[in-house]
């Protein structure tokens, strides 16, 4: 009996995911990764996609590159893209990676001197249903060290948002404090990190590719001026700077979506509003710039 179309696609993606997973490296591969001050690291990148409300085909692929340790923007790029793969929970990478990968390839073609030495992905890496999230997928296909940083907890493999988890969060006393995210198998899939003294809500860091978990956590902390590491924060702010792109779209499409894998909204500073994204849907309304604001929609998409 033939499989339904979606199940047939999922079966194909499972095979591809397993093949790519064999290529994943979850240890340090660069000399700068082994140094306490990351000497030799000069450029860090951040990537994400923004979506149009009511239009699952059109999106905007965004890439930023920052200097390290100064964290000054060296390069930014927003490109309108058309997505052909459907959204399926647990397989977000097959939908988003091609556009993000093309953004990196474009930079390599046009300004290779600005290629990032590590990429921060707004999502999960090994901390995933099958231990191969978006950060892993992009890392293996690009060949670049990648780090997954999620703003909210993906409840997977026995890790739950329960009283024990809340107690562990309360025990994080200062910026840099962590606790492990341990799967039912006993494997540590990531760490919750209190990224700054001023933010008590952690971020969730996991390996994407070609970096160890400890190094990924240290570097994430080193890149945090607020709760979220600056490469990912600058990608979110790029949404504002990219608004002219959306004028190319049909006028009924009045909203931008920040597609992510998290839950509640969190505003770090008045000048840098953040949405975290419960199951993939938050909107940025196209209104005059002085009243531009991010707000949470009542319904949404899915997990990474």
């Amino acid at each position: 009996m033939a499989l339904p179309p979606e199940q047939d696609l999922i079966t194909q993606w499972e095979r591809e995911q397993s093949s790519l997973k064999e290529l994943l490296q979850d240890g340090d591969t660069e000399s700068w990764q082994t140094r306490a001050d990351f000497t030799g690291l000069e450029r860090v990148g951040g990537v994400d996609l923004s979506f149009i409300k009511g239009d699952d085909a059109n999106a905007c692929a965004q890439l930023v590159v920052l200097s390290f340790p100064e964290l000054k923007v060296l390069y930014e790029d927003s490109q309108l893209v058309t997505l052909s793969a459907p959204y399926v929970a647990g397989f977000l990478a097959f939908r988003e990676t091609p556009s993000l990968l093309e953004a990196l390839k474009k930079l390599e073609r046009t300004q290779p001197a600005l290629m990032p030495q590590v990429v921060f992905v707004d999502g999960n890496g090994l901390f995933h249903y099958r231990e191969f999230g978006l950060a892993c997928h992009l890392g293996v296909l690009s060949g670049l060290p990648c780090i997954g940083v999620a703003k909210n907890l993906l409840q997977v493999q026995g890790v739950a948002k329960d009283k024990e988890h809340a107690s562990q969060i309360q025990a994080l006393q200062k910026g840099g404090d962590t606790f492990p995210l341990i799967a039912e198998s006993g494997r540590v899939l990531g760490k919750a990190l209190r990224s700054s003294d001023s933010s008590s809500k952690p971020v969730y860091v996991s390996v994407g590719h070609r970096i160890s978990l400890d190094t990924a956590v240290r570097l994430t902390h080193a890149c945090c001026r607020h709760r979220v590491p600056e490469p990912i924060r600058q990608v979110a702010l790029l949404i504002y700077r990219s608004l002219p792109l959306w004028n190319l779209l049909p006028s009924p499409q009045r909203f931008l979506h920040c597609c992510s894998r998290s839950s509640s909204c969190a505003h770090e500073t008045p000048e840098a509003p953040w949405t975290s994204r419960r199951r993939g849907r938050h909107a940025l309304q196209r209104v005059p710039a002085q009243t531009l604001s991010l707000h949470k929609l009542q319904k949404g998409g899915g997990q990474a």
Side-chain angles (χ1 to χ4, degrees), residues 210-222:
R210 292 184 56 199
I211 196 167
S212 69
L213 179 57
D214 287 344
T215 301
V217 169
R218 284 197 304 115
L219 183 57
T220 300
H221 184 225

Side-chain angles (χ1 to χ4, degrees), residues 85-108:
Y87 170 79
V88 179
F91 296 93
L92 181 69
F94 287 92
R95 179 169 167 79
E96 295 196 1
T97 299
S99 299
L100 301 179
L101 187 61
E102 178 54 36
L104 287 166
K105 289 181 177 178
K106 176 187 173 185
L107 173 58
E108 187 174 28

Side-chain angles (χ1 to χ4, degrees), residues 142-197:
S142 69
L144 294 171
C146 283
I147 300 171
V149 181
K151 296 186 286 294
N152 289 265
L153 181 69
L154 179 63
Q155 300 188 67
V156 63
Q157 296 208 37
V159 180
K161 195 174 182 179
D162 53 17
K163 290 183 178 179
E164 180 183 359
H165 186 75
S167 177
Q168 289 175 308
I169 291 175
Q170 290 180 348
L172 301 176
Q173 296 297 308
K174 64 184 185 304
D177 285 353
T178 67
F179 63 83
L181 303 170
I182 304 175
E184 292 173 325
S185 65
R187 185 180 183 187
V188 176
L189 298 182
K191 288 187 177 182
L193 165 69
R194 179 166 178 170
S195 49
S196 72
D197 293 339

